[in-house]
Amino acid sequence: MKIIANTGGIASTNCYLVADEVARQAVLFDAPNDTTPALLDEARRQGWDITGLWLTHGHFDHIADHAVVTGRFPGARLLIHEADVPKLANPNDGLFPLPFVIPPRRPDAFVADGQVLQIGSIEVHVIHTPGHCAGHVCYHMPRDRVLIGGDLIICGAVGRTDLPDSDAAALDASIRRVMLLPPETRLLPGHGDISTLGDERRSNPYVQEALRTA
C-alpha cells in the first residue's frame, strides 16, 4: 500500500491518495480546493486508476475539488454517508462564505457503518463517527493499521461542534469508539499532522476528556 498526502485549500485541509500498487488501483480521500491536481498527476505517472473519491463528510473544504477529480478520472465513484448528502447537494448554502463556487451533485453511492470497501486487495472498513456533523465517517484499513479520520480527531484537537448538525456528546462517543482500535494505528487527520491513536490518547486533552466521560 502506498499513501501520498497533500495539504492545501483555504482551510489547510489534508487530502490522501491511497493505492494498491500491485492492482494499480487508487482512491482519493476528500477533495480540498486546489489540492487534488498534484495527486491526480501522480496517479497518472504511476499508472494507477483512481476508482473512487471517498468523502469523510460534506463540509466545503473536504468536497470542493470533487468535479476536478471526476473530470480527470470519470470512473471515480463519489461516496458519502447518506446523512451528509444535503451538504453535497447544496454546497454553497452560505454557512461558509466562499470565494469560489462548488458544483452541487449527488453521490454515486452511500457508505454506511460496518461496510467493507476495497482498493485492490486493501480492505477498508467504514466507521460512522457522527459529532462534527451527522454524516461523518472514518475509513479504517486494519491490515495496514491506518485510520483516515477526517475531522474527528485532528492533531491534538477534535472537530468543532458549533455547527447546525454537530453534537458534542455524539463526538465524544465516536472518539471512544475509534480509540478501541490498536494504539499503533496511524491517524491520518483532515487537518494537521499524522499521528497515532496512542499518541492522541497520551497527549490530546479532548480525547482524554471524552474517555473520562464514558
Side-chain angles (χ1 to χ4, degrees):
M1 182 177 75
K2 180 78 170 181
I3 301 174
I4 305 173
N6 197 22
T7 303
I10 61 175
S12 295
T13 305
N14 296 328
C15 181
Y16 300 101
L17 180 66
V18 177
D20 180 328
E21 297 169 281
V22 175
R24 295 190 174 277
Q25 292 184 2
V27 164
L28 207 64
F29 291 86
D30 291 340
N33 66 287
D34 303 317
T35 304
T36 61
L39 297 178
L40 301 178
D41 291 344
E42 182 62 20
R44 289 285 192 211
R45 280 193 293 270
Q46 297 289 345
W48 300 334
D49 181 27
I50 296 182
T51 60
L53 170 57
W54 300 351
L55 301 173
T56 59
H57 61 296
H59 288 153
F60 80 92
D61 56 320
H62 294 260
I63 69 170
D65 263 9
H66 71 78
V68 176
V69 177
T70 55
R72 294 271 302 274
F73 288 84
R77 300 177 75 238
L78 188 151
L79 308 184
I80 194 171
H81 191 278
E82 189 170 10
D84 261 27
V85 168
K87 299 180 182 65
L88 189 62
N90 185 24
N92 308 288
D93 61 1
L95 181 62
F96 301 101
L98 301 174
F100 49 79
V101 174
I102 303 172
R105 68 162 291 169
R106 295 282 300 174
D108 295 302
F110 303 132
V111 291
D113 189 61
Q115 185 177 1
V116 180
L117 306 169
Q118 296 284 147
I119 309 171
S121 65
I122 303 168
E123 278 196 358
V124 183
H125 296 230
V126 178
I127 307 173
H128 183 210
T129 50
H132 178 58
C133 59
H136 193 285
V137 301
C138 296
Y139 295 95
H140 180 221
M141 301 163 210
R143 185 187 70 187
D144 299 281
R145 295 188 175 178
V146 168
L147 181 72
I148 294 179
D151 288 358
L152 178 64
I153 303 169
I154 43 177
C155 192
V158 296
R160 58 190 289 186
T161 56
D162 60 342
L163 301 172
D165 64 340
S166 299
D167 184 323
L171 185 82
D172 284 350
S174 294
I175 290 169
R176 290 192 291 271
R177 185 177 181 195
V178 301
M179 292 305 290
L180 295 173
L181 299 175
E184 64 271 23
T185 300
R186 282 186 291 161
L187 174 64
L188 279 56
H191 304 269
D193 297 330
I194 293 172
S195 64
T196 68
L197 293 183
D199 290 337
E200 298 298 327
R201 180 185 288 270
R202 286 187 292 271
S203 64
N204 187 324
Y206 300 95
V207 168
Q208 293 166 355
E209 179 62 23
L211 295 174
R212 279 196 297 270
T213 59

